[in-house]
Amino acid sequence: MSMEDYDYLFKIVLIGNAGVGKTCLVRRFTQGLFPPGQGATIGVDFMIKTVEIKGEKVKLQIWDTAGQERFRSITQSYYRSANALILTYDITCEDSFRCLPEWLREIEQYANNQVVTILVGNKIDLAEKREVLRQRAEDFAESQSMLYLETSAKESDNVEKLFLDLACELIREAKQNKLDNNDTAPMLGEGKTISYLTCCSIN
Ligand SMILES: Nc1nc2c(ncn2[C@@H]2O[C@H](COP(=O)(O)OP(=O)(O)OP(=O)(O)O)[C@@H](O)[C@H]2O)c(=O)[nH]1
């Protein structure tokens, strides 16, 4: 793989119930748009955006999965190689919050154990329709060792921050893993143990 045009490559996968705003978050970040009449995602969609963080080029491969149950077997196959998961719910929809434990079981089952997961409460522009209190979501995220952020794809609140914070966290972990791997490599008597998270930065 050519490393000429970026320093890091990370794969980010968005998951969560249908209609919570996954596609809108991705479009807002990659294209700066809030498209009207966004149809339900069929299977999986894919977008790329390269950002610069502290002078380093970070290429983000963003996979937007369908929330509908009938696509579950397709979307599950995208978890394994994800560096980060954005688990999204809709703050105006209690049901989308109540389904989170189910999504966490999916993550447990299909994602790799180094994956960084961030919980996102979307649609904060609809404050008057809020059904899930921020504190409750924060407590839940903390209990599951997840980061937490509230966003509005519509108003562009925290969308940039969501992806950039994730990229920073992934860089931090990649650097840490690289250090760890360098430490352990001589003891193994073979080449570096390259975890998925660091592979793109070591090559
Ligand atoms: N008010 C408001 N509406 C939003 C926001 N984000 C998404 N929506 C609306 O919510 C609906 C669903 O958005 P999508 O982005 O298609 O949701 P999704 O999670 O990708 O849905 P699936 O593809 O079926 O999994 C659309 O009508 C959007 O216009 C937001 O931040 N604020």
Side-chain angles (χ1 to χ4, degrees):
M1 191 190 296
S2 160
M3 287 297 293
E4 280 159 27
D5 57 345
Y6 54 83
D7 300 297
Y8 294 93
L9 170 66
F10 295 123
K11 180 171 167 184
I12 298 175
V13 180
L14 284 94
I15 57 174
N17 277 20
V20 298
K22 298 179 294 297
T23 302
C24 289
L25 286 168
V26 176
R27 302 254 162 200
R28 170 60 79 194
F29 178 63
T30 57
Q31 301 171 323
L33 301 170
F34 182 71
Q38 190 63 48
T41 304
I42 308 293
V44 176
D45 232 352
F46 166 79
M47 297 242 167
I48 277 194
K49 181 158 171 162
T50 303
V51 296
E52 196 166 311
I53 295 175
K54 294 181 192 147
E56 296 190 289
K57 278 208 174 131
V58 185
K59 189 167 178 175
L60 301 176
Q61 262 187 18
I62 306 170
W63 297 81
D64 172 25
T65 67
Q68 286 175 37
E69 191 91 41
R70 64 196 170 104
F71 296 114
R72 222 39 72 81
S73 60
I74 303 172
T75 58
Q76 283 159 351
S77 61
Y78 288 83
Y79 289 40
R80 174 84 42 210
S81 55
N83 299 113
L85 294 171
I86 299 179
L87 174 54
T88 315
Y89 77 97
D90 171 354
I91 63 140
T92 72
C93 176
E94 167 78 24
D95 201 41
S96 71
F97 185 78
R98 258 197 255 121
C99 284
L100 292 177
E102 208 179 295
W103 286 105
L104 290 175
R105 277 194 293 277
E106 296 254 311
I107 294 172
E108 178 91 352
Q109 196 170 353
Y110 299 105
N112 75 72
N113 56 15
Q114 291 194 61
V115 76
V116 173
T117 307
I118 183 164
L119 179 64
V120 168
N122 187 39
K123 306 196 188 181
I124 51 168
D125 56 288
L126 300 175
E128 73 289 353
K129 291 191 179 155
R130 183 188 277 269
E131 289 184 359
V132 182
L133 290 178
R134 189 190 177 110
Q135 189 63 53
R136 189 173 154 216
E138 270 174 2
D139 291 348
F140 179 75
E142 199 184 331
S143 74
Q144 303 295 324
S145 309
M146 291 186 284
L147 308 166
Y148 182 66
L149 198 62
E150 296 200 336
T151 59
S152 167
K154 186 175 181 185
E155 303 291 335
S156 203
D157 273 349
N158 276 345
V159 179
E160 192 100 335
K161 180 175 167 56
L162 165 62
F163 288 93
L164 295 185
D165 279 4
L166 256 190
C168 282
E169 177 64 18
L170 290 170
I171 291 173
R172 205 182 57 76
E173 298 223 349
K175 288 190 165 148
Q176 185 57 49
N177 281 359
K178 194 172 168 181
L179 282 179
D180 293 350
N181 288 335
N182 282 340
D183 285 349
T184 55
M187 275 167 47
L188 293 170
E190 52 186 33
K192 283 177 199 157
T193 309
I194 300 175
S195 71
Y196 183 82
L197 250 177
T198 58
C199 62
C200 32
S201 61
I202 287 178
N203 286 342

